[in-house]
Amino acid sequence: MDKRNDIPAHIPTHVGIIMDGNGRWAKKRGLPRTLGHKAGGEAFVKIVTECRKIGIKCLTVYAFSTENWKRSESEVTALMSLMKEYMVRYTDDLVKNGIRLRILGDLSRFESATVDEINKRIELSKNNDGMTLCIALNYGGRAELTTAVNKLLRSGKQEITEQDISDALYTASLPDPDLIIRTSGEQRTSNFLLWQSAYSEYYFTDVLWPDFDEKELRKAIEEYSKRNRRFGNS
Ligand code: IPE
Ligand code: IPE
Ligand code: MG
């Protein structure tokens, strides 16, 4: 343990976060779900900044799943406009602070103006080496694997290796997540990084995403640092 700032010596290289519980956070306060998502956006900025400070090399946050389109039109519209706002306003600061931005997911359902803004920031930050921030947007592990298999089929390969699959995923060249945090008390993957999480450590907390702060993140990392990872070994 580093006594000055309570950061465990053994920190994960890649952290994944399933940012869940915005709706319940709002409901508890008698607020519309949209305000829960807004508060969730603030927690996102706080946690990205903290991960960078701690020295996490890669952070992947689950922002919108392929299944989240099932929600009401008004919630989807509100989420889209919030994400657009974050992409345009907040990522500029992140990029200036040495963060490299990547998107995991299919952006074809997003407005072309938003996609342009996103691509601009991906390009601008491509040489940043402070931390890689991956935002899983319209992401689903099954859709990702299906897209990858189709890509491999088109390449004409007759036989494929595990490495071929890894290289065809949105996460190509990224290390697998060491630690996956899910907030809000749910204990499921909800289609997040299915292939990549084969040996990830999971950390579940009842804290709702908008309440997840620096202290909660440190608790998760501390718990991770005590785990004994064996990868099938004895
Ligand atoms: C997570 O919060 C945000 C997204 C899935 C976009 P939820 O909106 O799922 O919040 P709960 O689970 O209903 O509380
Ligand atoms: C997972 O949360 C997706 C995101 C956090 C973006 P959900 O709220 O969509 O998951 P389920 O429906 O409870 O499994
Ligand atoms: Mg949820």
Side-chain angles (χ1 to χ4, degrees):
M1 178 84 77
D2 180 333
K3 286 285 170 227
R4 285 161 309 164
N5 49 17
D6 290 341
I7 300 169
H10 180 51
I11 64 163
T13 301
H14 183 175
V15 175
I17 307 185
I18 303 173
M19 310 184 291
D20 198 11
N22 295 349
R24 277 163 285 169
W25 182 92
K27 193 171 177 201
K28 254 173 62 180
R29 287 163 177 75
L31 299 169
R33 291 179 63 85
T34 328
L35 288 185
H37 295 311
K38 198 162 179 284
E42 283 155 27
F44 157 79
V45 174
K46 213 192 291 182
I47 295 303
V48 174
T49 310
E50 187 65 6
C51 282
R52 166 105 165 90
K53 215 159 105 189
I54 291 175
I56 304 287
K57 281 279 152 222
C58 183
L59 171 68
T60 298
V61 292
Y62 203 5
F64 192 85
S65 78
T66 44
E67 287 72 37
N68 287 147
W69 296 105
K70 292 178 195 161
R71 297 188 177 195
S72 72
E73 205 185 315
S74 65
E75 184 170 351
V76 170
T77 307
L79 275 166
M80 288 302 139
S81 79
L82 199 64
M83 282 188 275
K84 194 162 135 191
E85 187 189 327
Y86 271 81
M87 283 301 162
V88 176
R89 194 143 56 92
Y90 293 93
T91 56
D92 273 347
D93 278 345
L94 302 178
V95 168
K96 271 188 227 138
N97 280 316
I99 289 175
R100 180 176 178 195
L101 183 68
R102 237 169 114 155
I103 301 291
L104 313 181
D106 173 14
L107 292 183
S108 66
R109 280 180 78 170
F110 292 81
E111 272 174 29
S112 69
T114 310
V115 177
D116 289 347
E117 294 289 346
I118 294 174
N119 285 334
K120 204 163 85 189
R121 282 154 185 86
I122 292 174
E123 183 58 28
L124 267 174
S125 70
K126 70 175 183 209
N127 295 319
N128 283 354
D129 59 5
M131 176 174 90
T132 301
L133 169 65
C134 304
I135 304 183
L137 256 188
N138 192 19
Y139 173 88
R142 288 185 173 184
E144 178 185 38
L145 278 160
T146 307
T147 305
V149 169
N150 279 319
K151 210 154 118 185
L152 291 166
L153 281 175
R154 281 196 303 274
S155 77
K157 278 196 191 324
Q158 294 300 305
E159 208 174 298
I160 54 162
T161 62
E162 289 192 3
Q163 190 62 47
D164 288 328
I165 295 178
S166 293
D167 292 344
L169 298 175
Y170 295 124
T171 47
S173 83
L174 294 175
D176 285 339
D178 301 293
L179 167 67
I180 296 182
I181 297 169
R182 181 167 190 154
T183 57
S184 89
E186 308 299 351
Q187 303 197 358
R188 52 179 172 261
T189 69
S190 300
N191 212 3
F192 185 54
L193 301 178
L194 295 183
W195 173 270
Q196 302 87 336
S197 62
Y199 273 99
S200 301
E201 294 293 327
Y202 279 90
Y203 176 86
F204 298 109
T205 170
D206 287 339
V207 173
L208 302 172
W209 175 248
D211 292 327
F212 193 84
D213 59 10
E214 294 89 343
K215 195 173 108 259
E216 295 298 334
L217 176 71
R218 281 162 196 256
K219 270 199 324 217
I221 292 174
E222 198 178 327
E223 156 91 27
Y224 167 84
S225 72
K226 293 183 195 141
R227 302 263 179 101
N228 177 13
R229 303 182 76 190
R230 288 190 290 275
F231 300 96
N233 224 319
S234 57

